[in-house]
Amino acid sequence: METPEENNALVVHESQPNKRRKKKSIVWEHFTIETVSAGCRRAFCKQCKQSFAYSTGSKVAGTSHLKRHIAKGTCPAVLRNQGNQLTPYTPGSGNGSTTETPKRRYRSPSSAYVPFDGDRCRHEIARMIIMHDYPLHMVEHSGFVTFAQNLQPRFGMVSFNNVQGDCVATYLREKQNVMKFIEGMPGRVCLTLDVWTSRQSLGYVFLTGHFIDSDWKPQRRVLNVVMEPYPDSDSALSHAVACCLSDWSLEGKLFSVTYNHPVGEPGLENLRSLLCIKNPLILNGQLLIGNCIAWTLCSMAKDVLWAGRDVVKKIRDCVKYVKTSESHEEKFFELKQQLQQVNSEKSLFLDDQSKWNTTYQMLVVASELKLVFSCLDASDPDYKEAPSLEDWRQIDTICSCLRPLYDAANILTSTATPTAITFFHEVWKIQTDLARSVASEDPFVSTVTKAMQEKMSKYWKDCSLVLAIAVVMDPRFKMKLVEFSFSKLYGEDAPAYIKIVDDGIHELFLEYVALPLPLTPTYAEEGNNENSMKEDHQGSLLSDIGLTDFDVYIMDTTSQQMKSELDQYLEESLLPRVHEFDVLSWWKLNKLKYPTLSKMARDILTIPVSSAALDSVFDTVTKEVDQYRCSLRPETVEALVCAKDWLQYASPEISNAVVKMEF
């Protein structure tokens, strides 16, 4: 039993302020307290063993200096063990509270202090919206407002109108850079027109410029997005092109136009007349018009699938029966193993009917597994009618018709810059195969291939001259491939068509010869090369000794020699057909040997064969601008689309920069 004295002593002891309680601050994970003398205790770092003042008599030093020792990284032991360093002190975690705000803030020496910049925040919000296609109204969404206010209370929230202005300002700033870039292009510009529709029946023409830079590298930039109220009118495309030419001062520099929208003869005449006025040369506009090869291939594929739509649906239903039931899929797999199918690794999948290549791939896989389908339980009410042998024969025919289209379209998606050279050979092969298939005695084959041949023949008629002239500009082929291909395609009539190409390329060359000062190409602006310093030095010497009129004299006395530059190129032996041949690099190396012809080759090799984006080559439906974008002003839509394209070409220092701000 406790005595009163003991009880009183206990009470006094519990009320004493010096009672050692459990310390909650995180610094005590890194420090220990030791008594060094009577009435004096010091805190020792567990890592570096340094000591710090803690208490002397009744005076307690506190823990702020201990926190700095850990948080600022001044502990030598921590610096030596960066890989396994102790958990740094986090302000506000000392007593477990999440709301305590410390009076001072300590930063790691590795992170530089950057003051808060509200304007820079608005600029980055605009870039974020542009680059990721976020809706402009997101800045007014309650979730974003709450997030931004908690992240940085000092940031003044912006409205829809504010961020719209910021996005347009970003577009205008980037446009100045693109203008300077295009002004420095030594050659002509080719345009592609990609027409999108909308639920409001408005049309949006995406105009992309293609050109070869001073280092002989292909470049492309989205230049304009023009809203056309009546996209099917005869003047829609010509109006969009006129807007682009005026906006970028490209009158006289346009070389070709490639489009993916059905255009009637009046529309083509409007476009051709406009282009001929702006470019009186260039074969009187014959090279200025071209259909999109992706659109042509897609149109042909749709014809094939429509002709066999009944049997295709039957196969799709069979695949759906297998893929939409786990038990059916397991049974199908067991049958495939029992029948020892060769392509056992291939699995069925349902197609996306908006992408014709997925339908083709589904039919190919299903056809290879037709024996397995024939063994499925036909008594199952969910299993539709099993395809007959005639059905599978039609599927094989459909696949054989789609295969060359699929292979050709894949070149567009697998090649960064598909050229007219490649597609001359692809189109010629398709033309030759179709000519043989049309004569088939099978009515289904004859019907399908006849519709395909009509569209391919129209494409060949409109674009064969462009494709053939591009082939001539390849030193591995020149006129020889044109002669060989035309002889196979046209038979006895081949010489007449070969002469059209030969006359066309010589006429085009003469037009380039007639350009001002053909013997003095401005190659000094075309990038640095191993001879640039030498050429500049020689040029300055000639100027110094008074030979500035020498070029004019050469033009007057050796015009015949300049005209034979093309013939000299054509008469030289063909280069070996190496696999990874870069035709642009070859012309870059030979631009001094062929000063005029290289200019013509550069423009011809710029011509794009497709206006479709890589992700829409196989689309069976027209691209549609979403309802939100349609609600914006056309100028805003253009700013968002163009700026997004241009920002991806920004210098690495800009695009990869990480802006560090203190919130």
Side-chain angles (χ1 to χ4, degrees):
M1 186 174 189
E2 293 179 340
T3 63
E5 292 79 5
E6 291 173 339
N7 185 50
N8 292 336
L10 180 61
V11 173
V12 171
H13 179 72
E14 289 180 347
S15 63
Q16 288 179 352
N18 291 331
K19 164 68 176 176
R20 182 174 298 180
R21 292 171 294 181
K22 182 179 180 181
K23 296 178 173 57
K24 296 181 179 180
S25 177
I26 196 173
V27 299
W28 301 119
E29 295 180 9
H30 311 295
F31 290 88
T32 60
I33 299 174
E34 298 180 15
T35 302
V36 295
S37 63
C40 180
R41 292 187 295 172
R42 296 184 66 82
F44 286 81
C45 177
K46 295 180 180 179
Q47 297 296 314
C48 64
K49 305 305 179 183
Q50 291 186 48
S51 67
F52 299 84
Y54 178 65
S55 66
T56 303
S58 60
K59 184 178 180 181
V60 179
T63 59
S64 297
H65 60 308
L66 307 181
K67 296 174 184 176
R68 287 195 293 271
H69 180 68
I70 298 300
K72 294 185 68 175
T74 56
C75 177
V78 172
L79 295 176
R80 285 194 303 269
N81 301 282
Q82 288 294 330
N84 298 309
Q85 65 182 12
L86 297 174
T87 304
Y89 170 72
T90 303
S93 61
N95 59 1
S97 173
T98 59
T99 59
E100 179 182 353
T101 302
K103 294 181 180 180
R104 299 188 62 183
R105 187 166 190 175
Y106 305 103
R107 303 178 308 277
S108 169
S110 60
S111 60
Y113 173 79
V114 179
F116 170 71
D117 188 339
D119 292 337
R120 185 56 184 263
C121 286
R122 286 183 52 170
H123 171 69
E124 292 302 325
I125 287 177
R127 281 173 56 94
M128 175 188 70
I129 288 175
I130 291 171
M131 294 172 65
H132 301 289
D133 296 324
Y134 296 144
L136 275 70
H137 284 90
M138 70 170 289
V139 295
E140 297 179 346
H141 294 170
S142 59
F144 178 80
V145 172
T146 302
F147 167 76
Q149 288 178 342
N150 280 279
L151 193 64
Q152 174 50 265
R154 286 186 291 166
F155 177 61
M157 294 309 301
V158 294
S159 65
F160 166 83
N161 289 333
N162 295 144
V163 77
Q164 180 176 235
D166 293 341
C167 289
V168 172
T170 301
Y171 157 77
L172 293 175
R173 184 166 51 250
E174 294 297 326
K175 186 175 183 178
Q176 295 302 314
N177 298 331
V178 177
M179 274 189 165
K180 293 178 182 178
F181 184 67
I182 293 179
E183 287 172 359
M185 292 296 105
R188 297 176 183 267
V189 176
C190 298
L191 289 180
T192 56
L193 312 182
D194 190 7
V195 182
W196 290 36
T197 61
S198 68
R199 295 182 182 180
Q200 288 79 11
S201 72
L202 300 173
Y204 291 82
V205 184
F206 291 67
L207 295 101
T208 303
H210 302 256
F211 33 80
I212 293 179
D213 64 19
S214 57
D215 196 35
W216 289 79
K217 300 296 182 183
Q219 301 285 347
R220 59 171 297 281
R221 297 291 188 276
V222 177
L223 300 180
N224 293 95
V225 178
V226 180
M227 191 270 286
E228 291 292 339
Y230 305 99
D232 295 325
S233 67
D234 296 333
S235 60
L237 294 187
S238 57
H239 173 261
V241 171
C243 290
C244 181
L245 297 179
S246 174
D247 192 20
W248 294 90
S249 302
L250 292 177
E251 293 88 347
K253 294 195 68 174
L254 184 61
F255 191 69
S256 73
V257 172
T258 305
Y259 56 88
N260 69 343
H261 190 67
V263 180
E265 192 59 34
L268 285 178
E269 287 303 319
N270 289 339
L271 191 58
R272 187 177 289 111
S273 61
L274 169 67
L275 296 172
C276 289
I277 291 173
K278 300 298 183 182
N279 298 270
L281 303 178
I282 315 300
L283 288 182
N284 195 30
Q286 293 182 72
L287 293 179
L288 292 171
I289 309 296
N291 290 310
C292 170
I293 184 62
W295 181 82
T296 302
L297 295 174
C298 179
S299 180
M300 295 169 63
K302 287 165 64 177
D303 287 344
V304 174
L305 293 174
W306 176 254
R309 59 191 180 279
D310 293 333
V311 68
V312 170
K313 182 180 184 303
K314 187 179 293 188
I315 301 302
R316 184 181 292 118
D317 289 340
C318 291
V319 175
K320 190 181 299 184
Y321 168 81
V322 175
K323 297 300 295 181
T324 55
S325 170
E326 185 175 351
S327 61
H328 295 166
E329 192 166 12
E330 291 176 356
K331 178 63 176 177
F332 190 87
F333 180 78
E334 292 174 2
L335 289 172
K336 186 168 65 171
Q337 296 299 319
Q338 292 173 9
L339 295 171
Q340 298 181 352
Q341 291 290 288
V342 177
N343 297 300
S344 58
E345 293 184 359
K346 291 189 176 181
S347 58
L348 293 174
F349 65 92
L350 277 171
D351 62 329
D352 176 358
Q353 296 183 51
S354 67
K355 301 277 188 180
W356 67 264
N357 61 316
T358 64
T359 303
Y360 164 72
Q361 292 167 333
M362 178 189 71
L363 296 178
V364 169
V365 175
S367 180
E368 293 174 352
L369 299 173
K370 55 188 171 186
L371 184 59
V372 183
F373 279 104
S374 66
C375 295
L376 289 176
D377 186 6
S379 62
D380 189 338
D382 293 333
Y383 187 51
K384 304 290 184 180
E385 178 185 357
S388 64
L389 291 177
E390 177 62 23
D391 292 334
W392 288 118
R393 190 186 65 79
Q394 283 197 14
I395 291 298
D396 291 340
T397 300
I398 292 172
C399 289
S400 64
C401 292
L402 292 177
R403 186 174 299 112
L405 309 182
Y406 175 77
D407 293 339
N410 263 333
I411 296 176
L412 293 173
T413 59
S414 60
T415 307
T417 53
T419 64
I421 298 172
T422 303
F423 276 88
F424 174 85
H425 192 57
E426 293 297 323
V427 174
W428 167 75
K429 287 192 302 182
I430 295 175
Q431 276 278 80
T432 306
D433 293 341
L434 289 175
R436 289 195 300 263
S437 300
V438 168
S440 173
E441 296 181 357
D442 188 319
F444 179 77
V445 174
S446 178
T447 302
V448 171
T449 54
K450 184 178 180 180
M452 296 174 64
Q453 188 184 43
E454 289 177 359
K455 293 189 175 179
M456 183 53 70
S457 296
K458 183 180 184 306
Y459 178 83
W460 181 258
K461 178 183 177 181
D462 295 339
C463 303
S464 59
L465 181 60
V466 177
L467 299 178
I469 289 180
V471 166
V472 177
M473 291 294 99
D474 190 325
R476 299 171 298 170
F477 303 121
K478 302 183 182 180
M479 282 295 297
K480 294 299 182 183
L481 182 58
V482 175
E483 294 168 359
F484 170 78
S485 303
F486 281 19
S487 64
K488 295 289 186 180
L489 189 61
Y490 296 113
E492 296 179 354
D493 298 330
Y497 291 97
I498 294 172
K499 186 176 185 302
I500 292 175
V501 177
D502 188 68
D503 291 347
I505 197 167
H506 278 84
E507 180 183 344
L508 184 60
F509 177 71
L510 292 179
E511 292 177 358
Y512 274 82
V513 171
L515 294 175
L517 296 178
L519 285 178
T520 55
T522 57
Y523 288 121
E525 349 179 301
E526 297 190 10
N528 297 325
N529 57 64
E530 62 276 10
N531 297 320
S532 60
M533 294 181 62
K534 181 179 178 181
E535 292 169 4
D536 291 343
H537 179 64
Q538 291 176 345
S540 62
L541 289 178
L542 291 176
S543 178
D544 290 341
I545 61 178
L547 294 180
T548 55
D549 295 332
F550 186 59
D551 290 332
V552 177
Y553 171 76
I554 294 226
M555 286 171 47
D556 295 337
T557 59
T558 60
S559 59
Q560 183 61 38
Q561 177 183 354
M562 287 303 302
K563 293 178 183 178
S564 65
E565 187 180 307
L566 172 61
D567 294 327
Q568 178 185 350
Y569 163 77
L570 293 176
E571 291 170 3
E572 290 181 349
S573 301
L574 300 180
L575 293 184
R577 294 195 304 274
V578 295
H579 180 60
E580 296 294 337
F581 180 74
D582 189 342
V583 64
L584 290 177
S585 295
W586 187 88
W587 280 106
K588 178 183 178 181
L589 293 174
N590 289 272
K591 65 184 180 183
L592 297 180
K593 182 178 180 180
Y594 303 110
T596 302
L597 189 60
S598 63
K599 289 182 178 182
M600 186 176 82
R602 178 180 54 206
D603 291 341
I604 291 173
L605 297 175
T606 306
I607 299 176
V609 293
S610 174
S611 62
L614 294 181
D615 60 348
S616 60
V617 169
F618 296 100
D619 285 355
T620 58
V621 293
T622 305
K623 285 284 188 179
E624 186 176 284
V625 177
D626 60 69
Q627 192 170 358
Y628 177 78
R629 288 290 176 93
C630 291
S631 68
L632 303 176
R633 294 183 303 181
E635 298 82 3
T636 303
V637 175
E638 181 177 55
L640 294 173
V641 173
C642 293
K644 178 182 179 180
D645 179 75
W646 301 340
L647 286 174
Q648 67 177 311
Y649 297 103
S651 62
E653 292 79 8
I654 297 175
S655 59
N656 296 331
V658 178
V659 181
K660 297 182 179 180
M661 301 182 181
E662 183 185 27
F663 293 99

